[in-house]
């Protein structure tokens, strides 16, 4: 037995002690599942007594890494482990069938009664909204952004704001579902669709939109940004630079945390939370994927909580939620339900599931949505935080995000960051919302530097692939009037210098 175990282990590259224990404990035991043809030939050449061979099906993925996190993979028994393989396990598997018959002493089939119905053995066909070309471009651009930033991971989403269709959902690191053993279970997870994180300043656009919708502010309102530091209770809110008086457009362009917190104060807590909810935060998008996060939006009882949530900290969302919310701004204020599966059809042609463009609600009026999209064009103009996202032939509206990552052990925030950029293109007649998220970048922490170039690469390919005509006017002078040269007659005054304590700095 020991000699046979050692010979088998050498041929199959297995641990001889573990294999020997397994073979000695049972009358029947699998030596190796899903063995390769060369391994089977090597075992047969040993001519060991008591060895048997059985063919079993194995799932093959011709696209390899492309869209692998969305498609998912199956285990040794053919059952789904992740992605759509898990979500549509029953539909994809088909029906089990059995026949009766006899075998001879060598196990050969004799007198098999009845034939298997090929339709029974087939599974259903699942059609996705993903565009193969855009998925490829998004994965390549995301991988390059993550590797250049020496980051640990990344996510990218491309969404059609008019329909809610997800045209690309990319994750990095990538994995090959044909060799799942080479990746960890967490590495196979579709984080862009399932996992939640604190987004940071990309959410500022929704606070401005909700405040304008509630008439708490207007496009001409002025807020004093405290020259870079503002004390809220025992905490201090910081901006990356010292700013004075800014309009809502200037607040978005410069990404001022302090003035954004003041806009949240002007709204009030109830309307503030209601505004986020109108854009779909804290509710699952319903992608038909098990394990999808819904995000957390705690009611901001404390003043500092209201302030931090106004710039996307102290709350969580998924990448798809953020893209869908920007889709609402791009779709004249109407939030569409994002979807990934177009339809599921069984072998008989019966449609088991079909998704169509579905309006969820009006988040803000068309006028407000267009105003905010116009303000976001200043972010990619000179003086904004994402000049690297500007395109030569198309107008771009977008927002950067640089969020602090929570430390669950220390129950605070670490020095690690999540850098992101989300853009709408063309800004005057949106055809795509593109979000790029880079997790824990090392070379630079700002979304305008780390994520914006990947957005531009994806957007350039998307506009060409979708045959979108160039914008009639490019790079409008939206940077003017971002800062007011005068002070209003009645100002809120400047707070005293901030004492030591917890500081928040994002953009």
């Amino acid at each position: 037995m020991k000699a046979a175990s050692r010979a088998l282990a050498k041929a199959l590259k297995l641990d001889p002690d573990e294999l020997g224990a397994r073979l000695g404990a049972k009358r029947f035991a699998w030596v190796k599942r899903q063995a390769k043809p060369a391994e089977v030939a090597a075992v047969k050449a040993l001519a060991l007594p008591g060895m048997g061979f059985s063919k079993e099906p194995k799932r093959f993925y011709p696209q390899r890494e492309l869209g692998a996190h969305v498609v998912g993979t199956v285990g040794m028994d053919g059952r789904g482990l992740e992605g759509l393989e898990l979500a549509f396990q029953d539909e994809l598997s088909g029906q089990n069938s059995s026949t009766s018959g006899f075998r001879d002493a060598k196990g050969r089939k004799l007198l098999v009664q009845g034939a298997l119905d090929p339709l029974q053995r087939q599974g259903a066909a699942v059609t996705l909204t993903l565009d193969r070309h855009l998925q490829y471009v998004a994965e390549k651009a995301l991988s390059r952004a993550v590797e250049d930033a020496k980051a640990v991971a990344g996510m990218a989403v491309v969404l059609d704001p008019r329909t809610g269709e997800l045209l690309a959902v990319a994750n990095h690191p990538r994995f090959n579902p044909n060799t799942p053993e080479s990746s960890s279970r967490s590495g196979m997870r579709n984080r862009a669709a399932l996992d939640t994180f604190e987004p940071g300043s990309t959410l500022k656009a929704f606070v401005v939109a909700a405040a304008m919708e509630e008439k708490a502010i207007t496009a001409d309102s002025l807020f004093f940004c405290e020259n870079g530091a503002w004390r809220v209770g025992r905490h201090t809110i910081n901006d990356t630079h010292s700013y004075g008086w800014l309009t809502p457009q200037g607040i978005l362009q410069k990404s001022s945390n302090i003035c954004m917190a003041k806009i949240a104060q002007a709204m009030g807590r109830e309307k503030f939370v209601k505004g986020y909810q109108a854009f779909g935060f804290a509710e699952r998008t319903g992608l038909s994927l098990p394990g999808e996060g819904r995000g957390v939006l705690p009611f901001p009882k404390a003043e500092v909580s209201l302030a931090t949530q106004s710039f996307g900290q102290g709350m969580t969302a998924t990448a798809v939620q953020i893209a869908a919310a920007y889709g609402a701004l791009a779709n004249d204020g109407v939030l569409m339900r994002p979807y990934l599966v177009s339809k599921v059809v069984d072998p008989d042609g019966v449609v088991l599931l079909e998704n169509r463009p579905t309006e969820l609600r009006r988040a803000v009026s068309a006028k407000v949505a267009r105003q905010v999209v116009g303000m976001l064009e200043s972010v990619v103009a000179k003086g904004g935080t994402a000049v690297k996202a500007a395109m030569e032939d198309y107008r771009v509206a977008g927002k950067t995000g640089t969020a602090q990552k929570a430390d669950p052990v220390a129950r605070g925030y670490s020095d690690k960051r999540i850098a992101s950029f989300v853009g709408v293109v063309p800004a005057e007649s949106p055809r795509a919302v593109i979000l790029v998220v880079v997790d824990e970048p090392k070379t630079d922490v700002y979304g305008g530097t780390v994520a914006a170039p990947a957005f531009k690469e994806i957007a350039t390919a998307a506009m060409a692939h979708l045959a979108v005509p160039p914008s009639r006017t490019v790079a409008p002078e939206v940077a003017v009037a971002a800062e007011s040269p005068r002070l209003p007659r009645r100002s809120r005054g400047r707070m005293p210098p901030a004492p030591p304590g917890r500081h928040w700095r994002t953009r």
Side-chain angles (χ1 to χ4, degrees):
M1 176 65 75
K2 290 183 178 181
S5 297
R6 285 196 296 270
L8 277 174
K10 183 177 181 180
L12 299 174
K13 298 180 181 179
L14 300 175
D15 181 79
D17 295 332
E18 188 275 333
L19 179 60
R22 186 150 43 91
L23 294 178
K26 301 178 181 179
R27 295 182 61 186
F28 169 85
W30 289 105
V31 176
K32 186 173 184 178
R33 302 282 300 274
Q34 304 285 356
K36 298 177 181 179
E39 294 174 328
V40 173
V43 173
K44 286 184 176 180
L46 297 176
L48 297 174
M51 292 296 299
F53 303 87
S54 176
K55 292 183 178 181
E56 57 182 350
K58 181 179 180 180
R59 185 84 85 196
F60 175 68
Y61 300 90
Q63 300 299 323
R64 296 170 59 85
E65 291 90 351
L66 187 66
H69 291 90
V70 175
V71 175
T73 189
V74 296
M76 198 73 72
D77 56 358
R79 298 194 63 82
L81 296 177
E82 286 289 347
L84 295 170
E85 290 278 24
L86 175 60
F88 293 94
Q89 163 66 38
D90 294 337
E91 291 83 355
L92 291 168
S93 298
Q95 300 178 13
N96 293 327
S97 301
S98 62
T99 59
S100 59
F102 298 93
R103 293 178 184 268
D104 63 12
K106 293 186 177 181
R108 294 174 295 193
K109 296 179 181 178
L110 302 173
L111 302 174
V112 177
Q113 299 178 1
L116 296 176
D117 185 351
L119 289 180
Q120 284 186 334
R121 291 184 289 126
Q122 292 181 17
V126 179
T127 303
L128 307 183
T129 61
L130 297 183
D131 183 292
R132 180 181 175 183
H133 176 68
L134 295 184
Q135 180 71 28
Y136 174 80
V137 170
E139 290 186 10
K140 289 294 185 182
L142 177 65
S143 295
R144 187 176 298 110
V146 172
E147 291 167 1
D148 288 348
K150 294 179 171 54
V152 298
M155 300 171 276
V157 175
V158 181
L159 175 138
D160 186 335
R162 304 168 303 173
T163 63
E165 293 175 294
L166 291 167
L167 304 180
V169 178
N171 293 268
H172 186 88
R174 305 169 76 191
F175 86 99
N176 186 346
N178 292 307
T179 56
E181 66 278 359
S182 62
S183 300
S184 65
R185 185 69 178 268
S186 61
M188 303 177 192
R189 185 172 174 83
N190 186 0
R191 295 181 59 201
L194 304 180
D195 289 0
T196 61
F197 59 96
E198 296 190 30
S201 296
T202 51
L203 299 198
K204 289 177 179 175
F206 310 119
V207 178
V208 170
M212 293 179 65
E213 183 72 13
E214 294 292 342
K215 295 181 172 53
I217 65 171
T218 68
D220 298 323
S221 296
L222 281 170
F223 290 86
F224 184 50
C225 299
E226 307 291 342
N227 294 317
W230 187 41
R231 183 179 177 181
V232 178
R234 296 180 295 105
H235 306 282
T236 301
I237 307 298
N238 293 102
D239 285 338
T240 54
H241 296 85
S242 176
Y243 303 120
W245 293 91
L246 294 178
T247 63
Q249 175 180 298
I251 295 170
L252 291 174
Q253 182 188 33
K254 305 296 185 182
S255 198
S256 170
N257 296 333
I258 294 170
C259 282
M260 191 58 58
K262 291 188 175 184
I263 291 179
Q265 285 184 343
M267 290 178 66
R269 290 170 171 78
E270 288 76 13
K271 291 180 179 179
F272 172 80
V273 173
K274 179 183 176 183
Y276 268 141
Q277 292 173 337
F279 280 98
F281 293 103
E283 69 178 28
R284 289 187 177 87
T285 60
L287 293 179
S288 301
L289 295 174
E292 179 190 4
R294 63 181 301 167
V296 176
L297 179 60
F299 187 83
K301 295 181 181 179
E303 284 293 331
V304 69
S305 297
L306 179 64
T308 57
Q309 286 182 23
S310 73
F311 48 85
Q313 300 268 189
M315 59 177 293
T316 61
T318 68
V320 171
Q321 281 179 328
I322 299 169
Y326 269 88
L329 289 177
N331 192 38
D332 285 343
V334 177
L335 178 66
M336 303 297 291
R337 180 174 64 85
Y339 64 101
L340 181 62
V341 177
S342 177
K343 60 182 177 180
V344 180
V345 182
D346 75 3
D348 294 322
V350 177
V351 178
L352 304 178
L353 172 68
E354 186 171 16
N355 286 315
R356 296 180 180 275
T358 304
E359 294 185 7
L360 292 179
R361 69 181 72 90
R362 175 167 287 283
V364 292
S365 66
K367 179 181 178 181
V368 168
R370 291 169 187 164
Q371 282 181 303
V372 174
V373 170
M375 293 176 185
L376 292 173
E377 288 192 69
S378 68
V379 174
V380 304
K382 183 178 180 181
T385 58
V387 293
K388 291 186 177 182
M391 302 175 67
E392 293 182 0
D393 297 325
Y394 298 92
R395 288 166 55 181
V396 176
K399 186 69 190 75
T400 54
T402 306
Q404 293 175 274
K405 290 190 71 172
D407 186 338
V409 178
R411 296 187 178 182
Y413 285 89
S414 67
D415 59 353
K416 298 175 181 178
R417 298 290 189 270
I418 293 180
S420 60
F421 179 82
V422 56
V424 175
V425 60
E428 76 280 8
S429 182
R431 290 292 304 277
V433 172
I434 303 170
L435 169 66
V436 178
V437 181
V438 179
D439 191 2
E440 297 185 20
K442 303 295 190 303
T443 57
D444 200 315
V445 298
Y446 295 115
T449 304
V450 175
F455 159 85
K456 183 176 180 179
E457 182 178 345
I458 299 170
T460 300
M463 294 300 97
H465 182 66
L466 299 175
V468 179
S471 299
R472 284 174 290 182
T473 56
V474 182
E477 294 300 326
V478 292
V480 298
E483 292 193 59
S484 175
R486 62 179 179 84
L487 299 180
R489 294 180 181 178
R490 303 180 66 180
S491 67
R492 301 185 182 186
R494 180 181 176 185
M495 297 292 290
R502 179 178 295 175
H503 291 243
W504 302 81
R505 187 188 301 275
T506 65
R507 80 174 183 187

